[in-house]
Amino acid sequence: MARWSVHRPAPLAAAAATALLLLGSAPVAVAEPSEPPPTSRLLPIPPGGLHSFVKGLNSSGTVVGDYYVEGSDGPLAIRWNAERPGYTLLAPLPGERFSRTTAVSDRGWVVGLSFNSPSGSHPVRWTPGAVPKRLTLPAGSRGGNTSAVNNAGVAVGDAAGEDNRSRPLRWRSDGGRTDLPVLPGDDSGTVTSINNAGTAVGWTEQRDGTGGPAHPVRWNAAGFVSALPLPAGFDGARTKKITDNGVVYGHGRLAGSTEYDRVLVWAADGTVRDAGRGRGYDVNRAGTAVGASLEDNPYGDTARWNANGTRTVLANPAEAAGEVLAINNRGTAVGYAWPPAGNPALDKALLWKRDGTVVPLPPSPLGPYAAAFAINDAGVIAGFAVGTDGAGNATTWRATVWKR
């Protein structure tokens, strides 16, 4: 069962996702108590529900995710609000059994998938009133995906063809579809993010079986595609996110390599910097990226790549490795760490303040183990808590919020 779209390198296989901003260049001490820590709350699920997971958090505290009913072989989409009790079910399309969310906008548009079997997923967008709308695919597609949605309800994603090529797509709020172009010489493309100005990012490539590089691209609001520049010595990159002021981050590969293991950040003016070897998970408006640095630790040091080009290895109290999964525009970041034994049930949720202090997030009713995936500018944090049996084996995952 997937927990999050991030994977630790073997042998520490688990999951996570999102990041941070700080000052300085060295690990810092655990914070002294100076203000009340956030409290944790398990998000409710319907009777019969067993597990739940967070997939998105917006500025007003709306959280979207999925939950699983015991004995079922698929998820159901759900929406919560960190400020209010209860939940709203996000129904599959008519005639289908399962649904899954992928993103939520600040105005409450949600995108995801609806399906009977994962191989035949249909892109879907739910209105702020939770009404599902099927998003159309090009003729001959065998399925599709959604990756992001903006405040106007404009969604982006891609369609999978029988030829194993991906077709980048954009859907207007009225459902109209635009088949986005790829760069000359490429025949496949993926869209990963869209901002509120309607600018989207992703990559295009040639799917000819040779393992050629991905070319980082940006599509403007009119649908025109342009290549993003690469640093000297790089032959490809995959972009992951664009902020509202045009900052982009992604992962690049050096010429001669097959690994996209360098964190790249493009400033709003289009200039690009190589932040170093690592796994990046988020970037804020200031151009500060967060994730796991692989420069000194093969499993990953909790790290921030600062807008001035420096790297900060963040404090990770008494743990083997970790990842910073999200950072907000105020410079606060969240993530998790795991112990030397690498047991994926024993994650510890962490918050890093702007001044560099690290704060362990409080436990949930399930116990001390959790991971924090997202934080908004109001300081609301979303992630999951883990319940374990007497032997320390994970038995339950539940969507969780932390807030003051």
Side-chain angles (χ1 to χ4, degrees):
M1 182 182 301
R3 294 168 59 188
W4 194 258
S5 58
V6 172
H7 304 282
R8 300 177 188 157
L12 303 181
T18 331
L20 142 71
L21 160 53
L22 302 170
L23 302 172
S25 58
V28 293
V30 175
E32 294 295 328
S34 60
E35 60 185 9
T39 58
S40 69
R41 176 167 68 92
L42 297 178
L43 295 172
I45 51 178
L50 181 61
H51 306 295
S52 56
F53 302 91
V54 167
K55 298 296 179 64
L57 167 70
N58 73 8
S59 61
S60 65
T62 296
V63 182
V64 296
D66 318 321
Y67 77 98
Y68 289 77
V69 175
E70 189 168 9
S72 174
D73 54 358
L76 291 166
I78 190 169
R79 184 181 70 196
W80 304 274
N81 192 285
E83 309 294 338
R84 298 187 293 275
Y87 55 82
T88 300
L89 300 182
L90 301 175
L93 293 168
E96 296 182 335
R97 300 168 56 204
F98 304 119
S99 53
R100 169 176 285 140
T101 62
T102 54
V104 59
S105 79
D106 285 338
R107 292 186 181 170
W109 294 91
V110 181
V111 290
L113 303 173
S114 177
F115 55 94
N116 284 318
S117 67
S119 61
S121 297
H122 300 118
V124 61
R125 177 177 49 209
W126 290 272
T127 68
V131 177
K133 169 73 175 179
R134 180 187 295 266
L135 300 175
T136 64
L137 295 171
S141 301
R142 55 180 172 81
N145 180 58
T146 56
S147 55
V149 62
N150 69 13
N151 283 340
V154 178
V156 291
D158 48 74
E162 296 294 345
D163 55 6
N164 199 36
R165 292 180 174 90
S166 178
R167 288 148 176 83
L169 304 173
R170 184 174 63 201
W171 296 272
R172 299 191 306 267
S173 59
D174 64 5
R177 188 187 80 238
T178 300
D179 297 358
L180 295 171
V182 298
L183 292 176
D186 288 342
D187 59 12
S188 183
T190 298
V191 194
T192 56
S193 181
I194 186 170
N195 66 15
N196 286 320
T199 303
V201 294
W203 67 87
T204 70
E205 58 193 321
Q206 174 63 241
R207 288 277 180 92
D208 57 6
T210 63
H215 304 118
V217 300
R218 177 168 43 205
W219 290 273
N220 68 13
F224 177 79
V225 64
S226 59
L228 289 169
L230 291 169
F234 283 69
D235 70 358
R238 295 168 175 165
T239 56
K240 301 297 292 182
K241 177 182 175 179
I242 182 169
T243 66
D244 280 341
N245 67 335
V247 173
V248 177
Y249 97 94
H251 296 93
R253 82 177 198 185
L254 292 168
S257 173
T258 59
E259 299 296 324
Y260 291 87
D261 60 357
R262 309 286 299 191
V263 177
L264 299 182
V265 179
W266 288 264
D269 64 5
T271 57
V272 60
R273 77 176 193 269
D274 171 17
R277 186 165 176 262
R279 299 186 297 272
Y281 294 121
D282 199 13
V283 70
N284 67 11
R285 285 192 304 243
T288 300
V290 292
S293 173
L294 300 176
E295 299 283 359
D296 307 307
N297 182 344
Y299 301 123
D301 286 319
T302 47
R304 182 192 73 226
W305 295 277
N306 306 299
N308 65 4
T310 62
R311 179 189 62 154
T312 300
V313 175
L314 300 170
N316 183 3
E319 304 292 347
E323 296 177 314
V324 187
L325 300 178
I327 182 170
N328 67 17
N329 291 312
R330 298 187 176 191
T332 305
V334 295
Y336 75 112
W338 64 85
N343 186 337
L346 306 184
D347 293 338
K348 300 292 183 63
L350 300 173
L351 174 147
W352 291 267
K353 295 182 178 181
R354 180 184 174 89
D355 68 1
T357 55
V358 60
V359 179
L361 292 173
S364 78
L366 291 182
Y369 306 120
F373 290 158
I375 181 169
N376 66 16
D377 288 349
V380 175
I381 300 162
F384 67 67
V386 182
T388 59
D389 61 19
N393 300 307
T395 59
T396 309
W397 290 266
R398 285 287 302 275
T400 302
V401 293
W402 292 265
K403 63 184 292 291
R404 288 189 171 87

